[in-house]
């Protein structure tokens, strides 16, 4: 079978006037700009067809299975101790977020002082089964807590972090996956699990063209004197409890951050 990698690399070079190539590999990050891990996620987010992306991080080489703007898994890693092989050879799954988080911590450590990150796009290699989709690039931003396209923390993360005194408990989700919690989030689990999607569908049915940021205070409370609210912006959502006395400050903060 013909290997089209060289042709793909040349076509990419012609299509991207501002790209820099080193030895046939495209440079994603140099001297920390843009942030290496952010650059890798952006590359995954740009990959629609099923491919094997070969990332070289200062000599540490990772071959990743990517398709549909999702990271399916790490095929293998070279240039590091064999202990890292525990992260290879399996498809990342939404019901095993711990593995994705562990991989993110590993990559953050590898990337923290990286001077150069390059990528090559190769034909897809088998990993798992076609039904195993992996994790969306948008979710990796939250799970790995990286800088999102150079804008710092996501808007929802900034909102929640900036109101910790008034928001004791929360569930934060990105693209439908829980990416962060605080306090006693178990009291919010039933709302997230049983009510959030129903609320979202009804809200979209009534306000079909309302795609902007939204914060809604729910009737009732959490049972401990706090109110409960739902916030949405882009592909992020949160369910949180809040101090009634601080609601004006919370709404002002939301308006500043989300709009």
């Amino acid at each position: 079978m013909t290997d089209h990698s060289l042709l793909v690399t040349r076509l990419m070079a012609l299509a991207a006037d501002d790209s820099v190539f080193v030895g046939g590999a495209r440079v994603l990050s140099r001297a920390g700009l843009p942030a290496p891990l952010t650059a890798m996620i952006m590359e995954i987010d740009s990959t629609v067809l099923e491919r094997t992306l070969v990332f070289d991080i200062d000599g540490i080489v990772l071959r990743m299975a990517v398709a549909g703007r999702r990271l399916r898994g790490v095929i293998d890693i070279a240039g590091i101790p064999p202990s890292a092989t525990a992260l290879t050879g399996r498809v990342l799954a939404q019901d095993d977020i711990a593995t994705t988080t562990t991989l993110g911590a590993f990559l953050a450590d590898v990337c923290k002082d990286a001077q150069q990150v390059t990528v090559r796009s190769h034909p897809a290699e088998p990993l798992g089964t076609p039904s195993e989709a992996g994790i969306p690039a948008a979710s990796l931003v939250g799970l790995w807590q990286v800088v999102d396209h150079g804008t710092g923390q996501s808007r929802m993360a900034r909102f929640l972090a900036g109101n910790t005194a008034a928001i004791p408990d929360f569930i934060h989700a990105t693209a439908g996956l829980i990416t962060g919690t605080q306090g006693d989030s178990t009291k919010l689990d039933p709302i997230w699990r049983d009510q959030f999607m129903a609320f979202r569908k009804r809200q979209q049915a009534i306000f079909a063209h309302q795609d902007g940021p939204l914060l809604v205070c729910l009737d009732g409370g959490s049972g401990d004197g706090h109110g409960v609210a739902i916030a949405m912006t882009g592909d992020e959502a949160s369910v949180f409890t809040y101090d009634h006395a601080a609601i004006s400050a919370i709404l002002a903060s939301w308006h500043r951050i989300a709009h």
Side-chain angles (χ1 to χ4, degrees), residues 59-203:
I60 297 175
V61 180
L62 301 94
R63 294 193 305 139
M64 293 183 169
V66 179
R69 302 174 66 183
R70 292 170 173 259
L71 174 59
R72 300 190 66 240
V74 180
I75 299 169
D76 55 44
I77 306 173
I80 58 170
S83 58
T85 56
L87 296 169
T88 65
R90 51 181 171 173
V91 177
L92 301 176
Q94 295 186 6
D95 59 358
D96 181 21
I97 294 301
T99 298
T100 305
T101 303
T102 300
L103 174 61
F106 165 77
L107 290 174
D109 184 61
V110 171
C111 288
K112 64 181 179 181
D113 297 316
Q115 292 302 300
Q116 180 170 282
V117 179
T118 65
V119 66
R120 296 173 185 263
S121 181
H122 289 180
E125 297 181 40
L127 182 69
T129 65
S131 62
E132 296 176 292
I135 305 294
S139 297
L140 295 178
V141 173
L143 290 169
W144 293 352
Q145 298 180 347
V146 299
V147 178
D148 184 7
H149 295 255
T151 61
Q153 282 183 305
S154 68
R155 290 189 291 181
M156 187 68 73
R158 292 203 310 276
F159 167 71
L160 294 170
N163 293 278
T164 53
I167 297 178
D169 319 292
F170 68 70
I171 292 175
H172 176 199
T174 305
L177 295 176
I178 294 177
T179 54
T181 61
Q182 174 177 286
D184 184 9
S185 60
T186 57
K187 70 179 72 172
L188 299 172
D189 284 340
I191 299 174
W192 172 254
R193 184 180 61 249
D194 303 327
Q195 300 180 41
F196 176 78
M197 287 309 300
F199 167 82
R200 183 60 168 158
K201 288 179 181 178
R202 184 166 179 78
Q203 182 260 334

Side-chain angles (χ1 to χ4, degrees), residues 215-227:
L215 189 153
V216 177
C217 296
L218 305 182
D219 292 335
S222 62
D224 58 0
H226 288 110

